[in-house]
Amino acid sequence: FSERQMEIGISTATFFGKVNTEDTFGLIRQVGARVCEVFLNTFYEYRPEFADLLLERKGDLSVHSIHTLNTNFEPQLFNNAERTRSDAEAIFRAVLDTGRRLGAGCYTFHGVARLKRSGFYDNYEVIGPKVEHIREIAAEYGIALCFENVHWAHYAHPGFFSGIRQYCPELCGCLDIKQAMQSGFPLEAYLEEMGERIRTVHVCDYDADGKLCAPGKGCFDFAKFFSQLREYGVDCPVIMELYSGDYRGIEDLKQSFDYLGNLLK
């Protein structure tokens, strides 16, 4: 996994719907970030030719992690039908190859969306070995599998990560503060559970009503949060991951980037 120390970065997903992925790197530099997460949004962006284009465009930016539109293929990595699973693994490997070429050390993973009433989602005895197999595939490419807490997906509640790690002890985590808020469980519960296994942190901000906004524009206590991360031995990039409606323009992003950076000093 990436050895990069705690610093503020930006996800290319922040510009989704506004700018194509390959055109985000210049904006990320404009904000002042040196590290980013690359979010691949579609099958078109999983192709090796697109990796060539990203390599050409990224310049001196460091790619810490890679992320995908998980519903494209991640759920099928758990499918019991060999042909279905094999196709998903082929897509996964193509994404991992792009990540390796970009220098990413982490893969941000959602797993399965909780769409049905089923005991499968928390059946660790069944899921755990499958996650370990997925982690081993990522490790072939020198990339750490990082399960992200997501309120509508596999890791929707504290306890899931611990349950999976019984079967996948080398599993890493991605802590997302907005997803913790939206899950209804305390952020501290996710932080305590993942602890020093956290390799990526996703941040935005939100107000008292839960409306998302750019960091520094809401009520989240980032100074306290950064202190908590250090207490748990977390020393990894803190990636600004916003939705397009959470900010007005590049100046908003720069203000948030500077605000968070000053808190880290």
Side-chain angles (χ1 to χ4, degrees), residues 165-188:
R165 281 199 67 213
Q166 297 175 65
Y167 303 90
C168 187
E170 294 182 47
L171 182 65
C172 296
C174 172
L175 178 64
D176 189 305
I177 66 172
K178 70 176 177 298
Q179 293 289 345
M181 178 271 291
Q182 291 170 337
S183 76
F185 294 98
L187 173 63
E188 287 76 15

mmCIF file of all heavy atoms in Angstrom, residues 165-188:
data_model
loop_
_atom_site.group_PDB
_atom_site.id
_atom_site.type_symbol
_atom_site.label_atom_id
_atom_site.label_comp_id
_atom_site.label_asym_id
_atom_site.label_seq_id
_atom_site.Cartn_x
_atom_site.Cartn_y
_atom_site.Cartn_z
ATOM 1 N N ARG A 165 -12.646 -9.362 8.572
ATOM 2 C CA ARG A 165 -11.215 -9.538 8.841
ATOM 3 C C ARG A 165 -10.893 -10.857 9.540
ATOM 4 O O ARG A 165 -9.730 -11.268 9.577
ATOM 5 C CB ARG A 165 -10.674 -8.363 9.667
ATOM 6 C CG ARG A 165 -10.415 -7.121 8.831
ATOM 7 C CD ARG A 165 -9.468 -6.175 9.539
ATOM 8 N NE ARG A 165 -8.142 -6.726 9.670
ATOM 9 C CZ ARG A 165 -7.322 -6.479 10.696
ATOM 10 N NH1 ARG A 165 -7.712 -5.696 11.697
ATOM 11 N NH2 ARG A 165 -6.120 -7.007 10.734
ATOM 12 N N GLN A 166 -11.893 -11.535 10.056
ATOM 13 C CA GLN A 166 -11.653 -12.871 10.590
ATOM 14 C C GLN A 166 -11.147 -13.807 9.488
ATOM 15 O O GLN A 166 -10.417 -14.761 9.759
ATOM 16 C CB GLN A 166 -12.942 -13.446 11.177
ATOM 17 C CG GLN A 166 -13.522 -12.685 12.347
ATOM 18 C CD GLN A 166 -14.854 -13.279 12.776
ATOM 19 O OE1 GLN A 166 -14.934 -14.415 13.234
ATOM 20 N NE2 GLN A 166 -15.915 -12.505 12.610
ATOM 21 N N TYR A 167 -11.561 -13.540 8.282
ATOM 22 C CA TYR A 167 -11.208 -14.375 7.129
ATOM 23 C C TYR A 167 -10.235 -13.672 6.184
ATOM 24 O O TYR A 167 -9.720 -14.295 5.260
ATOM 25 C CB TYR A 167 -12.481 -14.742 6.358
ATOM 26 C CG TYR A 167 -13.507 -15.442 7.217
ATOM 27 C CD1 TYR A 167 -14.466 -14.708 7.910
ATOM 28 C CD2 TYR A 167 -13.496 -16.822 7.361
ATOM 29 C CE1 TYR A 167 -15.397 -15.344 8.721
ATOM 30 C CE2 TYR A 167 -14.429 -17.462 8.167
ATOM 31 C CZ TYR A 167 -15.373 -16.721 8.850
ATOM 32 O OH TYR A 167 -16.293 -17.353 9.661
ATOM 33 N N CYS A 168 -10.031 -12.388 6.428
ATOM 34 C CA CYS A 168 -9.208 -11.575 5.527
ATOM 35 C C CYS A 168 -8.393 -10.591 6.375
ATOM 36 O O CYS A 168 -8.629 -9.381 6.349
ATOM 37 C CB CYS A 168 -10.141 -10.840 4.560
ATOM 38 S SG CYS A 168 -9.358 -9.942 3.239
ATOM 39 N N PRO A 169 -7.434 -11.102 7.160
ATOM 40 C CA PRO A 169 -6.737 -10.263 8.143
ATOM 41 C C PRO A 169 -5.937 -9.105 7.559
ATOM 42 O O PRO A 169 -5.671 -8.134 8.259
ATOM 43 C CB PRO A 169 -5.823 -11.250 8.875
ATOM 44 C CG PRO A 169 -5.698 -12.420 7.962
ATOM 45 C CD PRO A 169 -6.991 -12.510 7.224
ATOM 46 N N GLU A 170 -5.555 -9.191 6.281
ATOM 47 C CA GLU A 170 -4.760 -8.120 5.677
ATOM 48 C C GLU A 170 -5.623 -7.055 5.002
ATOM 49 O O GLU A 170 -5.103 -6.142 4.362
ATOM 50 C CB GLU A 170 -3.767 -8.710 4.677
ATOM 51 C CG GLU A 170 -2.706 -9.595 5.329
ATOM 52 C CD GLU A 170 -1.702 -10.115 4.316
ATOM 53 O OE1 GLU A 170 -1.206 -9.301 3.508
ATOM 54 O OE2 GLU A 170 -1.441 -11.328 4.315
ATOM 55 N N LEU A 171 -6.938 -7.163 5.153
ATOM 56 C CA LEU A 171 -7.857 -6.189 4.558
ATOM 57 C C LEU A 171 -7.592 -4.797 5.115
ATOM 58 O O LEU A 171 -7.345 -4.621 6.307
ATOM 59 C CB LEU A 171 -9.295 -6.596 4.861
ATOM 60 C CG LEU A 171 -10.407 -5.721 4.273
ATOM 61 C CD1 LEU A 171 -10.409 -5.777 2.751
ATOM 62 C CD2 LEU A 171 -11.766 -6.162 4.835
ATOM 63 N N CYS A 172 -7.648 -3.803 4.238
ATOM 64 C CA CYS A 172 -7.486 -2.410 4.658
ATOM 65 C C CYS A 172 -8.818 -1.675 4.539
ATOM 66 O O CYS A 172 -9.805 -2.227 4.064
ATOM 67 C CB CYS A 172 -6.423 -1.725 3.804
ATOM 68 S SG CYS A 172 -4.771 -2.428 4.016
ATOM 69 N N GLY A 173 -8.844 -0.422 5.012
ATOM 70 C CA GLY A 173 -10.093 0.319 5.039
ATOM 71 C C GLY A 173 -9.979 1.705 4.428
ATOM 72 O O GLY A 173 -8.900 2.302 4.374
ATOM 73 N N CYS A 174 -11.121 2.188 3.963
ATOM 74 C CA CYS A 174 -11.270 3.576 3.526
ATOM 75 C C CYS A 174 -12.374 4.181 4.370
ATOM 76 O O CYS A 174 -13.517 3.706 4.343
ATOM 77 C CB CYS A 174 -11.627 3.644 2.039
ATOM 78 S SG CYS A 174 -12.043 5.314 1.459
ATOM 79 N N LEU A 175 -12.049 5.206 5.134
ATOM 80 C CA LEU A 175 -13.012 5.847 6.029
ATOM 81 C C LEU A 175 -13.623 7.057 5.348
ATOM 82 O O LEU A 175 -12.914 7.976 4.934
ATOM 83 C CB LEU A 175 -12.308 6.272 7.322
ATOM 84 C CG LEU A 175 -13.165 7.014 8.348
ATOM 85 C CD1 LEU A 175 -14.282 6.111 8.881
ATOM 86 C CD2 LEU A 175 -12.295 7.517 9.505
ATOM 87 N N ASP A 176 -14.963 7.075 5.233
ATOM 88 C CA ASP A 176 -15.685 8.175 4.593
ATOM 89 C C ASP A 176 -16.594 8.828 5.626
ATOM 90 O O ASP A 176 -17.508 8.184 6.149
ATOM 91 C CB ASP A 176 -16.500 7.645 3.415
ATOM 92 C CG ASP A 176 -17.114 8.752 2.571
ATOM 93 O OD1 ASP A 176 -17.830 9.594 3.149
ATOM 94 O OD2 ASP A 176 -16.896 8.777 1.341
ATOM 95 N N ILE A 177 -16.364 10.113 5.914
ATOM 96 C CA ILE A 177 -17.112 10.760 6.998
ATOM 97 C C ILE A 177 -18.562 11.035 6.623
ATOM 98 O O ILE A 177 -19.448 10.958 7.480
ATOM 99 C CB ILE A 177 -16.413 12.057 7.481
ATOM 100 C CG1 ILE A 177 -16.403 13.132 6.404
ATOM 101 C CG2 ILE A 177 -14.998 11.760 7.956
ATOM 102 C CD1 ILE A 177 -15.890 14.472 6.904
ATOM 103 N N LYS A 178 -18.843 11.359 5.363
ATOM 104 C CA LYS A 178 -20.238 11.625 4.988
ATOM 105 C C LYS A 178 -21.051 10.340 5.010
ATOM 106 O O LYS A 178 -22.222 10.328 5.395
ATOM 107 C CB LYS A 178 -20.330 12.290 3.618
ATOM 108 C CG LYS A 178 -19.990 11.422 2.427
ATOM 109 C CD LYS A 178 -20.219 12.154 1.121
ATOM 110 C CE LYS A 178 -19.811 11.293 -0.074
ATOM 111 N NZ LYS A 178 -18.367 10.950 -0.052
ATOM 112 N N GLN A 179 -20.423 9.235 4.590
ATOM 113 C CA GLN A 179 -21.122 7.961 4.603
ATOM 114 C C GLN A 179 -21.408 7.501 6.027
ATOM 115 O O GLN A 179 -22.460 6.894 6.292
ATOM 116 C CB GLN A 179 -20.299 6.902 3.856
ATOM 117 C CG GLN A 179 -20.167 7.141 2.363
ATOM 118 C CD GLN A 179 -21.464 6.909 1.617
ATOM 119 O OE1 GLN A 179 -22.403 6.311 2.136
ATOM 120 N NE2 GLN A 179 -21.520 7.364 0.373
ATOM 121 N N ALA A 180 -20.500 7.795 6.945
ATOM 122 C CA ALA A 180 -20.753 7.476 8.347
ATOM 123 C C ALA A 180 -21.965 8.248 8.847
ATOM 124 O O ALA A 180 -22.852 7.700 9.515
ATOM 125 C CB ALA A 180 -19.522 7.792 9.188
ATOM 126 N N MET A 181 -22.025 9.545 8.540
ATOM 127 C CA MET A 181 -23.161 10.370 8.942
ATOM 128 C C MET A 181 -24.455 9.825 8.344
ATOM 129 O O MET A 181 -25.473 9.686 9.029
ATOM 130 C CB MET A 181 -22.925 11.818 8.499
ATOM 131 C CG MET A 181 -24.047 12.800 8.808
ATOM 132 S SD MET A 181 -25.313 12.908 7.493
ATOM 133 C CE MET A 181 -24.377 13.698 6.164
ATOM 134 N N GLN A 182 -24.422 9.469 7.068
ATOM 135 C CA GLN A 182 -25.631 8.997 6.391
ATOM 136 C C GLN A 182 -26.059 7.614 6.873
ATOM 137 O O GLN A 182 -27.230 7.242 6.746
ATOM 138 C CB GLN A 182 -25.401 8.997 4.876
ATOM 139 C CG GLN A 182 -25.285 10.403 4.302
ATOM 140 C CD GLN A 182 -24.817 10.426 2.849
ATOM 141 O OE1 GLN A 182 -24.180 9.480 2.373
ATOM 142 N NE2 GLN A 182 -25.124 11.505 2.143
ATOM 143 N N SER A 183 -25.129 6.851 7.431
ATOM 144 C CA SER A 183 -25.467 5.520 7.946
ATOM 145 C C SER A 183 -26.225 5.591 9.268
ATOM 146 O O SER A 183 -26.901 4.625 9.654
ATOM 147 C CB SER A 183 -24.188 4.691 8.153
ATOM 148 O OG SER A 183 -23.494 5.096 9.329
ATOM 149 N N GLY A 184 -26.079 6.709 9.991
ATOM 150 C CA GLY A 184 -26.735 6.848 11.285
ATOM 151 C C GLY A 184 -25.921 6.296 12.436
ATOM 152 O O GLY A 184 -26.361 6.361 13.589
ATOM 153 N N PHE A 185 -24.742 5.771 12.143
ATOM 154 C CA PHE A 185 -23.863 5.262 13.198
ATOM 155 C C PHE A 185 -22.749 6.261 13.458
ATOM 156 O O PHE A 185 -22.354 7.019 12.558
ATOM 157 C CB PHE A 185 -23.255 3.911 12.796
ATOM 158 C CG PHE A 185 -24.258 2.804 12.663
ATOM 159 C CD1 PHE A 185 -24.755 2.446 11.416
ATOM 160 C CD2 PHE A 185 -24.714 2.127 13.781
ATOM 161 C CE1 PHE A 185 -25.680 1.430 11.282
ATOM 162 C CE2 PHE A 185 -25.642 1.105 13.660
ATOM 163 C CZ PHE A 185 -26.137 0.750 12.405
ATOM 164 N N PRO A 186 -22.200 6.297 14.678
ATOM 165 C CA PRO A 186 -21.149 7.274 15.000
ATOM 166 C C PRO A 186 -19.881 7.055 14.164
ATOM 167 O O PRO A 186 -19.452 5.916 13.962
ATOM 168 C CB PRO A 186 -20.860 7.012 16.488
ATOM 169 C CG PRO A 186 -22.041 6.271 16.997
ATOM 170 C CD PRO A 186 -22.567 5.471 15.844
ATOM 171 N N LEU A 187 -19.320 8.145 13.695
ATOM 172 C CA LEU A 187 -18.063 8.080 12.959
ATOM 173 C C LEU A 187 -17.002 7.368 13.779
ATOM 174 O O LEU A 187 -16.200 6.587 13.250
ATOM 175 C CB LEU A 187 -17.599 9.494 12.607
ATOM 176 C CG LEU A 187 -16.223 9.640 11.973
ATOM 177 C CD1 LEU A 187 -16.164 8.943 10.624
ATOM 178 C CD2 LEU A 187 -15.855 11.114 11.830
ATOM 179 N N GLU A 188 -16.984 7.645 15.085
ATOM 180 C CA GLU A 188 -15.974 7.056 15.965
ATOM 181 C C GLU A 188 -16.018 5.525 15.957
ATOM 182 O O GLU A 188 -14.998 4.870 16.156
ATOM 183 C CB GLU A 188 -16.157 7.575 17.396
ATOM 184 C CG GLU A 188 -15.735 9.016 17.607
ATOM 185 C CD GLU A 188 -16.745 10.016 17.037
ATOM 186 O OE1 GLU A 188 -17.894 9.613 16.737
ATOM 187 O OE2 GLU A 188 -16.387 11.197 16.909
#
